């Protein structure tokens, strides 16, 4: 450290995923009994103090909302313990959902960085250790403060709100369609190019409710809507066509759900752009909004579902919930 600078204290929470796994003799990627990143303190000796916890050891598809809530509570505890930042290592399949959940529920006063790997720890060209180091440097950077939860992969810094996994195996899989990354790392230093708009934080204590995600397709009718038990439905997210449109045969079943007062959120199934009420034909966005469908701009389906779940677990009125989802 230089001069009298205080050493930053970073809490590292390992949750499992490819970054913690190894390839076996048959070529399958498997869980390790001990995370290979557990004992990497010497990488930051004299500059950053890291406190390491193996909080879970799960493949990414095993992540649940309850586990996300547990991470949120551990981060809040870390704030009381005086940590300066938090790094979470995570499997990439659901990384964006955990990151966004934390972005909506953790105070911005602490920097939280989520990272992972596309190649397991003993594969040629493994990216796990490098991404981990980059995440720690980002969490310790003064420039990272008050930007919400960040996702750091492959030398890029992304907002949790918009980043998504775009490739099944490529190490450059995490991208931010439409908006792009907000910064980068070079030689362990952060360089931000964009500001982050403030986001409401909801300190929820539960993740209850049935919130489903449905994707629209050509020729779709309302069969899948009619199969839903509306009495037990707390929210619905639809990945609509184009700018925000649905086949007309969907409308009768959708209308039954709307008439029950269930919040229905619409996003686009396109990877770029935002959902808008542009078209006035039957099934178009104009009519959908008039019937009470909520247009959520810029989020993909899985992120919209996370936001809706967070929203329904607050004490917001229907009007305030709608504003929260639309804003």
């Amino acid at each position: 450290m230089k001069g009298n600078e205080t050493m930053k204290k970073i809490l590292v929470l390992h949750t499992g995923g490819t970054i913690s796994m190894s390839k076996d003799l048959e070529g399958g990627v498997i869980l390790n009994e001990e995370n290979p990143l557990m004992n990497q303190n010497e990488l930051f000796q004299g500059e950053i103090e890291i406190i390491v916890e193996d909080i879970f050891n799960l493949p990414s598809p095993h992540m649940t909302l309850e586990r996300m809530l547990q991470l949120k509570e551990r981060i809040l505890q870390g704030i009381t313990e005086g940590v300066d930042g938090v790094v979470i290592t995570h499997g990439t399949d659901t990384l964006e959902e955990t990151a966004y959940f934390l972005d909506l529920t953790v105070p911005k006063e602490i920097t939280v960085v989520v990272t992972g790997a596309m190649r397991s720890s003993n594969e040629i060209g493994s990216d796990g250790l490098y991404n981990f180091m980059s995440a720690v440097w980002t969490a310790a950077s003064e420039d990272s403060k008050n930007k919400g939860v960040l996702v750091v992969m492959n030398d890029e810094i992304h907002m949790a709100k918009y980043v998504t996994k775009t490739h099944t195996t490529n190490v450059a899989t995490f991208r931010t369609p439409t908006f792009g990354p907000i910064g980068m790392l070079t030689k362990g230093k952060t360089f931000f190019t964009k500001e982050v708009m403030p986001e409401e934080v909801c300190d929820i204590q539960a993740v209850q409710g049935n919130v489903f995600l449905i994707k629209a397709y050509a020729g779709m009718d309302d069969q899948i809507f009619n199969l839903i038990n509306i009495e037990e439905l707390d929210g619905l997210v639809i990945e609509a066509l184009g700018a925000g449109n649905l086949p007309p045969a969907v409308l009768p079943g959708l209308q039954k759900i709307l008439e029950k007062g269930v919040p229905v959120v619409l996003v686009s199934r396109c990877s770029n752009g935002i959902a808008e009420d542009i078209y006035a034909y039957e099934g178009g966005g104009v009519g959908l909004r008039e019937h009470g469908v909520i247009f959520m701009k810029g989020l993909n389906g899985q992120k919209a579902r996370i936001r809706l779940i967070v929203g329904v677990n607050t004490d917001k009125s229907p009007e305030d919930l709608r504003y929260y989802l639309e804003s």
Side-chain angles (χ1 to χ4, degrees):
M1 297 297 292
K2 298 177 181 179
N4 295 318
E5 292 181 15
T6 303
M7 186 184 298
K8 291 291 184 71
K9 184 187 296 184
I10 304 299
L11 173 64
V12 175
L13 301 175
H14 293 305
T15 70
T18 299
I19 195 170
S20 68
M21 297 179 182
S22 297
K23 183 175 280 190
D24 64 15
L25 295 176
E26 284 74 41
V29 178
I30 59 172
L31 291 170
N32 285 315
E33 291 185 9
E34 182 177 350
N35 191 319
L37 295 177
M38 281 294 290
N39 300 302
Q40 299 293 344
N41 301 46
E42 70 280 357
L43 295 172
F44 312 99
Q45 190 171 5
E47 298 186 68
I48 300 173
E49 177 187 355
I50 63 173
I51 305 159
V52 184
E53 294 182 17
D54 208 8
I55 189 167
F56 317 133
N57 188 18
L58 300 170
S60 190
H62 295 194
M63 183 59 67
T64 64
L65 288 164
E66 289 74 20
R67 297 284 194 182
M68 295 178 196
L69 188 64
Q70 188 177 342
L71 281 171
K72 171 246 182 186
E73 295 298 332
R74 181 63 187 93
I75 294 169
L76 295 183
Q77 180 184 337
I79 294 175
T80 67
E81 295 167 350
V83 302
D84 299 294
V86 178
V87 168
I88 298 170
T89 64
H90 197 290
T92 58
D93 285 353
T94 58
L95 184 151
E96 64 190 86
E97 288 159 273
T98 296
Y100 188 48
F101 176 87
L102 297 175
D103 192 51
L104 294 174
T105 59
V106 172
K108 301 298 183 281
E109 66 192 70
I110 188 165
T111 301
V112 178
V113 180
V114 187
T115 192
M118 295 303 293
R119 296 172 183 159
S120 59
S121 60
N122 63 343
E123 288 187 68
I124 295 174
S126 175
D127 53 332
L129 183 58
Y130 184 83
N131 284 339
F132 172 67
M133 292 177 63
S134 297
V136 172
W137 289 120
T138 303
S141 170
E142 286 292 315
D143 295 334
S144 300
K145 287 185 174 181
N146 300 311
K147 288 184 170 60
V149 175
L150 304 172
V151 172
V152 171
M153 298 276 290
N154 205 40
D155 280 331
E156 292 184 338
I157 305 172
H158 297 263
M159 291 174 59
K161 185 173 184 178
Y162 297 122
V163 71
T164 190
K165 186 175 181 178
T166 64
H167 195 285
T168 56
T169 56
N170 196 305
V171 295
T173 180
F174 279 89
R175 304 284 188 180
T176 299
T178 303
F179 306 109
I182 63 169
M184 59 180 289
L185 286 113
T186 175
K187 303 297 182 183
K189 303 295 183 182
T190 57
F191 179 68
F192 288 93
T193 60
K194 298 177 183 178
E195 294 297 322
V196 176
M197 298 296 291
E199 177 80 72
E200 179 183 349
V201 174
C202 299
D203 185 17
I204 59 172
Q205 308 303 314
V207 284
Q208 298 172 348
N210 293 317
V211 178
F212 300 143
L213 171 60
I214 294 174
K215 189 166 188 169
Y217 52 86
M220 185 180 190
D221 59 24
D222 65 349
Q223 288 187 66
I224 191 166
F225 295 91
N226 293 328
L227 291 173
I228 297 173
N229 185 339
I230 302 176
E231 300 302 324
E232 297 182 0
L233 183 64
D234 298 288
L236 179 65
V237 176
I238 303 173
E239 285 191 6
L241 308 173
N245 312 299
L246 293 172
V250 163
L251 299 180
L254 176 60
Q255 187 61 36
K256 293 176 186 177
I257 295 173
L258 290 166
E259 288 173 353
K260 286 290 186 178
V262 176
V264 176
V265 169
L266 183 144
V267 298
S268 174
R269 71 177 193 177
C270 298
S271 59
N272 279 280
I274 59 176
E276 299 179 272
D277 53 331
I278 297 173
Y279 293 96
Y281 51 70
E282 186 181 12
V286 172
L288 294 174
R289 183 182 287 278
E290 289 175 349
H291 283 87
V293 173
I294 300 167
F295 280 63
M296 192 178 287
K297 296 181 178 180
L299 296 184
N300 58 26
Q302 56 267 34
K303 297 275 187 69
R305 179 177 176 270
I306 291 291
R307 190 175 183 91
L308 182 49
I309 288 169
V310 169
V312 300
N313 279 279
T314 65
D315 57 359
K316 295 180 184 297
S317 67
E319 294 76 19
D320 288 343
L321 177 61
R322 186 180 188 93
Y323 177 80
Y324 173 72
L325 296 172
E326 287 182 330
S327 62

